[in-house]
Amino acid sequence: MKTKSIVIILMAASMALIGFAGCYSYIGHHYYPDVPYYPATNPGHVQLLRHEPGRSHIQLGEMWIRPEPGMSDAFVENSLRERAAAMGADALVIVVDRYFSRYDHYWYGHHIYRERDIEGIAIRYR
């Protein structure tokens, strides 16, 4: 009886894990705690920066994107601008832009994926 309940628990846990993996989003964000929410800005006016600006600003939160194969640079940049604008940001400071390799091993061999990860901090000028 005890073995049967362990098997059921393990099956439920694996099904939940598979369900969470299916809900993975290639783009996301989260607000920092105790930061006020601002109305959305115009995505066309959101700046993509590689270093923190000299102007006074507040940090709203972090966002990330893991572009999928076939996504153009323009699509990725527009996605970042749209998500930052929805947070009320005037700019997005890119703090991570890296490529990494992921290996998937199968019984018949392996496959190497080259993936990109971009992370930034959404800011609003004072």
Side-chain angles (χ1 to χ4, degrees), residues 33-45:
D34 301 326
V35 173
Y37 288 87
Y38 292 96
T41 57
N42 183 343
H45 295 145

Side-chain angles (χ1 to χ4, degrees), residues 1-17:
M1 186 69 174
K2 186 176 181 181
T3 307
K4 191 174 187 179
S5 61
I6 290 174
V7 170
I8 291 172
I9 290 171
L10 288 174
M11 287 178 58
S14 64
M15 289 175 62
L17 184 60

Side-chain angles (χ1 to χ4, degrees), residues 33 80 121:
L80 288 170
I121 298 173

